[in-house]
Amino acid sequence: TNIMRSVSQGFKVCIELTEFLLDKEELKTREKVLVIAGTLKGADTAVVMLINEDGRYSVDKILCWPKEK
């Protein structure tokens, strides 16, 4: 969790959202998903996640994250 938060709070939330959707079986394998998160000030992080065939995920692209924490 601290490693994810070191990128940004929004990045950590993107990971958590992806895991939540996988647990609820809302994502298909080989699907790319755009996950957007941020803080109370607004969205500041956008990540493209790739859902692998084994049901796990990987970060395909980090589109943006905040310059400052």
Side-chain angles (χ1 to χ4, degrees), residues 18 21 27-28 31-35 47-51:
T18 302
L21 291 170
L27 302 175
K28 298 175 185 170
E31 181 175 51
K32 287 188 178 182
V33 180
L34 174 62
V35 186
V47 180
V48 177
M49 306 298 279
L50 175 63
I51 309 306

Side-chain angles (χ1 to χ4, degrees), residues 2-68:
N2 288 332
I3 293 171
M4 292 182 289
R5 195 176 292 131
S6 70
V7 175
S8 77
Q9 179 69 23
F11 183 76
K12 181 183 87 68
V13 174
C14 286
I15 299 295
E16 291 171 343
L17 287 169
T18 302
E19 290 176 352
F20 174 80
L21 291 170
L22 279 171
D23 287 346
K24 298 294 181 184
E25 299 180 358
E26 295 291 332
L27 302 175
K28 298 175 185 170
T29 58
R30 291 183 271 159
E31 181 175 51
K32 287 188 178 182
V33 180
L34 174 62
V35 186
I36 300 172
T39 65
L40 292 174
K41 295 178 184 178
D44 62 10
T45 306
V47 180
V48 177
M49 306 298 279
L50 175 63
I51 309 306
N52 301 317
E53 290 187 28
D54 61 1
R56 296 181 186 192
Y57 61 90
S58 58
V59 176
D60 186 54
K61 294 177 189 167
I62 299 175
L63 300 176
C64 65
W65 68 87
K67 281 175 107 174
E68 299 176 15

